[in-house]
Amino acid sequence: MSLTISNEQLQAAATQYGTPLYVYHAEKITAQHQQLQKAFEGVYTRFFYACKALTNISVLKHIQSIGCNIDCSSINEVYLALKAGFNPEQILYTSNGIAFEEIIAAVEAGVSVNIDSLSNLEKFGKAYGSRYPVGIRLRPNIMAGGNLKISTGHNGSKFGIPLEQLDDILSLKNQYQLRINCLHVHTGSEIKDVDVFIKVADIFFDLVPHFQDLQVLDMGGGFKVPYQSNEKGTDIPLLAKKVGEVLNKFETTYGKKFQVWFEPGKYLVSECGYLITSVNVIKETPSVLFAGINSGFNHLIRPMFYEAYHHIRNISNPNGPIKNYAVTGNICETDNFAWDRPINEIRENDLLVIDNAGAYGFEMGSNYNSRFLPAQVLYKEGQMRLIRKRDTMEDILKNQIELN
Ligand SMILES: *Cc1c(COP(=O)(O)O)cnc(C)c1O
């Protein structure tokens, strides 16, 4: 089965549902999950989909159906996961900077929790003591990841409890008899260098003697996917091999088997997603040739927010002569998807497809400029099915209160 969606199918979806439109390929998600499982066969691991990348309930249900677990970044995501059919044992809540009430709610839901501040850890100790196991999110002081905005492990980062405060963690652990069963580190997104994960394992290795209830080594997510044709993603088989070796070292040294958890977001859903847009205006100026499309950073913020590259194709004129375009959105401030990009000649009303748009696309979207969020479609078993309607004016006004 093909793991890409053909131009004809994308065109048909645009005709049926209009543009801008997000289309996600279910079998591509399945294939990414299988690649992980295959690479890590025989290595004691579990994978938790970091669902903040894409949370449409129908996508979550698909991910649940293929046997993947789920990692949540808010209590609302925990509730979505439960609604999608994950059982609490499959749900992990890795929090950052949250109110303690959300931790109480997560415990009541029966899910695993990673706590990332001494303050919440102390509140947890007072509330639960040893009655509920808990994970600790650590800050390892490692700089990694594609961009400072998505780098979370360095020594200026707000994420996790700094390693230097180990003594404070241990005194809370003793004071409240905390059952710390998991150590967690997520260094950031787009980590190509597998040694970053091994460095994290080395940090865990030295910490083991302090945590007698430890069972899980959670190395977070951040596997890189290729965005440009000459780019390579994280070498997953190499990572599996190295993690396998490291786990053996843990077992021989400590006489105990630890399970490694990973939280891939982008890796599972980035490549499955396409944003189909259509061209509103071609503007030829003396210096720049603009193609203005009917979307903007309110639908896909990654190029403007992270300087991310997304491949853009003209599926209406795939054999046209190549010209260089600034592909721009319609939001009233600088709003580029690409700056000086060779693309087959673009005409008004052509369909431009933005690839690799499954992760952090729709999810980071907004109604800025009072524009509608795109519709979403799931392509599964050869069928396109609507999984979210396009907004209407009613949605824009839904929670507004009109005073007279
Ligand atoms: C965002 C996030 C992830 C996933 O990152 P990706 O780059 O999408 O793989 C994993 N774990 C935590 C704690 C996160 O916040």
Side-chain angles (χ1 to χ4, degrees):
M1 178 186 296
S2 169
L3 292 175
T4 55
I5 304 182
S6 71
N7 288 355
E8 291 68 34
Q9 286 163 318
L10 292 171
Q11 229 136 16
T15 305
Q16 186 171 359
Y17 301 104
T19 61
L21 182 71
Y22 271 104
V23 179
Y24 308 105
H25 193 176
E27 283 83 10
K28 177 66 181 169
I29 301 174
T30 311
Q32 292 294 102
H33 183 243
Q34 280 170 349
Q35 289 215 356
L36 291 177
Q37 303 239 289
K38 203 172 132 236
F40 281 87
E41 207 169 8
V43 185
Y44 193 38
T45 36
R46 271 177 90 186
F47 296 96
F48 293 74
Y49 166 53
C51 73
K52 72 178 189 287
L54 177 62
T55 55
N56 183 287
I57 191 79
S58 294
V59 172
L60 297 187
K61 283 172 87 162
H62 174 71
I63 289 174
Q64 191 275 338
S65 77
I66 60 176
C68 190
N69 308 287
I70 189 163
D71 175 48
C72 301
S73 298
S74 74
I75 193 69
N76 294 347
E77 286 184 355
V78 171
Y79 295 144
L80 280 177
L82 289 166
K83 186 167 167 51
F86 291 89
N87 63 49
E89 192 269 330
Q90 295 176 293
I91 303 175
L92 170 62
Y93 182 14
T94 299
S95 61
N96 168 248
I98 60 166
F100 187 65
E101 285 70 23
E102 287 199 18
I103 293 175
I104 296 175
V107 168
E108 277 165 9
V111 308
S112 301
V113 188
N114 286 329
I115 289 185
D116 97 320
S117 66
L118 290 171
S119 155
N120 273 339
L121 191 60
E122 172 146 39
K123 289 175 198 159
F124 187 93
K126 283 188 182 141
Y128 302 107
S130 63
R131 294 202 309 282
Y132 201 87
V134 65
I136 306 277
R137 180 173 192 170
L138 294 167
R139 197 186 72 188
N141 303 340
I142 294 174
M143 181 58 104
N147 177 301
L148 190 58
K149 289 191 185 114
I150 51 176
S151 180
T152 54
H154 58 88
N155 66 6
S157 160
K158 67 167 182 158
F159 294 94
I161 304 175
L163 269 180
E164 303 91 291
Q165 293 175 348
L166 176 64
D167 286 347
D168 300 294
I169 297 173
L170 293 177
S171 60
L172 288 175
K173 171 176 159 283
N174 292 337
Q175 187 177 351
Y176 297 106
Q177 268 117 49
L178 294 171
R179 264 198 293 146
I180 297 174
N181 66 343
C182 169
L183 294 178
H184 169 280
V185 163
H186 171 69
T187 50
S189 199
E190 305 200 350
I191 297 162
K192 195 168 159 269
D193 180 5
V194 299
D195 287 332
V196 169
F197 293 98
I198 302 309
K199 267 191 222 161
V200 168
D202 288 341
I203 291 171
F204 288 156
F205 188 82
D206 295 333
L207 293 174
V208 168
H210 298 291
F211 298 96
Q212 67 279 11
D213 296 309
L214 194 62
Q215 293 171 320
V216 172
L217 309 170
D218 183 344
M219 299 197 192
F223 301 158
K224 182 171 169 53
V225 298
Y227 281 91
Q228 308 211 36
S229 55
N230 61 352
E231 263 183 334
K232 285 222 164 23
T234 307
D235 186 341
I236 300 294
L238 178 66
L239 176 65
K241 181 172 165 283
K242 291 199 171 186
V243 168
E245 287 166 7
V246 160
L247 273 184
N248 287 341
K249 188 175 97 174
F250 274 79
E251 200 174 343
T252 49
T253 309
Y254 295 113
K256 187 170 161 187
K257 219 173 163 69
F258 294 96
Q259 189 173 51
V260 169
W261 289 4
F262 285 109
E263 304 159 352
K266 202 173 266 185
Y267 183 84
L268 289 174
V269 298
S270 178
E271 289 160 294
C272 83
Y274 304 78
L275 175 57
I276 314 176
T277 67
S278 58
V279 178
N280 287 340
V281 274
I282 297 293
K283 189 184 279 186
E284 277 200 71
T285 71
S287 52
V288 181
L289 178 53
F290 291 96
I293 62 179
N294 65 348
S295 184
F297 69 72
N298 54 324
H299 298 161
L300 179 66
I301 203 173
R302 300 188 71 259
M304 287 306 298
F305 200 48
Y306 308 122
E307 273 114 52
Y309 176 98
H310 282 266
H311 190 57
I312 303 176
R313 300 179 278 140
N314 183 358
I315 63 169
S316 302
N317 191 22
N319 301 312
I322 300 284
K323 294 187 174 183
N324 277 17
Y325 290 91
V327 179
T328 51
N330 53 21
I331 292 299
C332 290
E333 53 187 276
T334 303
D335 183 11
N336 281 57
F337 289 95
W339 275 260
D340 188 19
R341 183 72 66 82
I343 301 175
N344 296 101
E345 184 174 17
I346 304 176
R347 303 146 315 178
E348 292 186 356
N349 300 316
D350 278 357
L351 293 177
L352 296 195
V353 171
I354 303 174
D355 285 327
N356 235 323
Y360 309 105
F362 183 92
E363 222 46 43
M364 294 177 81
S366 77
N367 291 115
Y368 188 38
N369 281 201
S370 294
R371 291 204 172 272
F372 301 150
L373 283 166
Q376 293 175 296
V377 164
L378 186 64
Y379 180 70
K380 185 171 177 175
E381 292 159 3
Q383 275 196 337
M384 296 277 179
R385 289 166 77 188
L386 193 64
I387 56 171
R388 185 186 167 109
K389 293 186 271 190
R390 188 178 307 287
D391 282 350
T392 63
M393 266 325 279
E394 259 169 49
D395 296 305
I396 301 284
L397 284 163
K398 192 170 56 192
N399 290 324
Q400 299 190 33
I401 295 166
E402 193 177 343
L403 301 177
N404 44 28

